[in-house]
């Protein structure tokens, strides 16, 4: 009589393990060990002066697509802005960039899917270099070569939806003004410094480690606290336009 337990998955203990028929099992390679990041999550602000004291508060950054268990990402990146009291109220991205002065609007939240950068890196020849950097995040030479390979004009990389949020009369106690579609410049931020490029490589090397991903998000938030709005977003070339005829 055949053993009914033979259909179960065999126990693979040691190099001499065998399957139900007595044949040796193939050896399973050990998982690649990736060194932990050199900084703990939450310490990024303290090490680089992003404490929120004496300067603008750093925005909230959410990077999607690193953890393979989180496959659902936004179709387009999301940029939330807050306006200071008395600032102009633009209706489009063009008006925002044309009429706003520094300090009128501040970045409150940024959400984007890092997987959409793979095509950008592939076009600029940095995809293979990023894989090498992921294998050794502490390699400063590979870091420098990777950043030099993708250093081009800071044109917008990703599509993003821009909206201004704030207090007001609404159902949830918040009001928002959708300004439409724009272009977001993310690659120059991620490759603008050795620290950010290393945080990106560490997050890619340990995709299931949420603490490592938070280090990347904290580093981006620190960088975004001092980036002008005009360097972050730009007018989308294919954004729909609406011309309202004048009535006499």
């Amino acid at each position: 009589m055949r053993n009914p337990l033979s259909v179960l998955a065999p126990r693979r203990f040691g190099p001499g393990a065998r399957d139900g028929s007595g044949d040796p099992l193939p050896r399973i390679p050990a998982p690649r060990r990736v060194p932990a990041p050199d900084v703990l999550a939450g310490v990024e602000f303290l090490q680089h002066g992003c404490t929120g004291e004496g300067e603008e508060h750093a925005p909230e950054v959410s990077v999607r697509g690193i953890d393979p268990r989180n496959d659902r990402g936004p179709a387009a990146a999301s940029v939330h802005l807050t306006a200071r009291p008395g600032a102009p109220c633009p209706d489009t991205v063009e008006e925002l960039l044309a009429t706003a002065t520094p300090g009128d609007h501040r970045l409150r939240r940024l959400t984007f899917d890092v997987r959409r950068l793979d095509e950008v890196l592939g076009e600029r020849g940095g995809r293979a270099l990023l894989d090498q950097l992921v294998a050794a995040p502490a390699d400063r030479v590979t870091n420098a070569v990777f950043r030099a390979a993708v250093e081009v004009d800071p044109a917008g990389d990703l599509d993003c939806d821009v909206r201004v949020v704030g207090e007001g009369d609404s159902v949830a106690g918040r009001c928002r003004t959708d300004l439409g579609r724009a272009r977001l410049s993310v690659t120059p931020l991620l490759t603008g410094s050795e620290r950010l490029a290393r945080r990106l490589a560490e997050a890619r090397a340990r995709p299931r480690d949420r603490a490592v991903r938070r280090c990347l998000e904290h580093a981006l938030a620190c960088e975004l606290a001092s980036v002008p709005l005009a360097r972050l977003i730009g007018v989308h070339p294919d954004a729909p336009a609406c011309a309202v005829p004048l009535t006499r």
Side-chain angles (χ1 to χ4, degrees):
M1 180 178 177
R2 185 178 179 181
N3 185 3
L5 299 180
S6 62
V7 297
L8 300 179
R11 303 177 68 183
R12 302 186 178 184
F13 293 148
R18 298 178 180 275
D19 57 12
S21 62
D23 297 331
L25 294 172
R27 185 176 180 181
I28 301 177
R32 180 171 57 90
R33 298 181 61 88
V34 179
D38 59 348
V39 63
L40 297 177
V43 185
E44 196 78 38
F45 285 170
L46 300 179
Q47 286 190 349
H48 298 276
C50 298
T51 59
E53 299 176 1
E55 60 183 45
E56 293 183 350
H57 293 282
E60 180 182 354
V61 178
S62 179
V63 180
R64 308 288 180 84
I66 292 180
D67 190 344
R69 297 170 295 182
N70 183 15
D71 292 331
R72 294 191 304 173
S78 177
V79 176
H80 289 190
L81 307 173
T82 57
R84 66 170 177 81
C89 299
D91 295 324
T92 62
V93 177
E94 292 85 347
E95 292 183 12
L96 172 69
L97 299 177
T99 62
T101 58
D104 284 347
H105 296 83
R106 180 173 61 88
L107 179 63
R108 180 185 182 93
R109 178 178 174 83
L110 171 63
T111 303
F112 68 94
D113 195 330
V114 74
R115 290 170 296 188
R116 297 188 177 274
L117 294 176
D118 291 343
E119 298 179 1
V120 178
L121 295 177
E123 294 175 356
R124 300 179 181 180
R127 191 66 184 90
L129 292 172
L130 178 60
D131 294 338
Q132 298 177 14
L133 187 60
V134 168
D139 188 350
R140 303 187 65 179
V141 175
T142 305
N143 191 313
V145 174
F146 165 69
R147 291 187 290 113
V150 298
E151 184 179 2
V152 293
D153 58 333
D157 301 313
L158 307 178
D159 289 349
C160 68
D161 293 325
V162 183
R163 57 180 52 97
V164 180
V165 298
E167 304 293 340
D169 297 332
S170 65
V171 176
R174 309 284 296 177
C175 66
R176 75 179 190 183
T177 302
D178 293 326
L179 304 184
R181 189 60 58 91
R183 291 292 287 178
L184 177 67
S185 299
V186 173
T187 303
L189 291 175
L190 292 173
T191 61
S193 66
E194 178 182 344
R195 178 171 64 96
L196 283 174
R198 177 170 179 174
R199 295 291 177 263
L200 174 63
E202 290 170 346
R204 285 292 186 91
R206 305 169 69 94
R208 295 180 181 270
D209 194 332
R210 189 174 185 275
V212 179
R213 188 175 74 252
R214 288 301 300 164
C215 285
L216 170 63
E217 293 171 343
H218 284 320
L220 273 172
C222 290
E223 186 71 18
L224 288 170
S226 59
V227 173
L229 189 60
R231 282 182 49 195
L232 182 63
I233 62 175
V235 177
H236 197 289
D238 299 327
C242 178
V244 179
L246 296 177
T247 58
R248 299 183 181 224

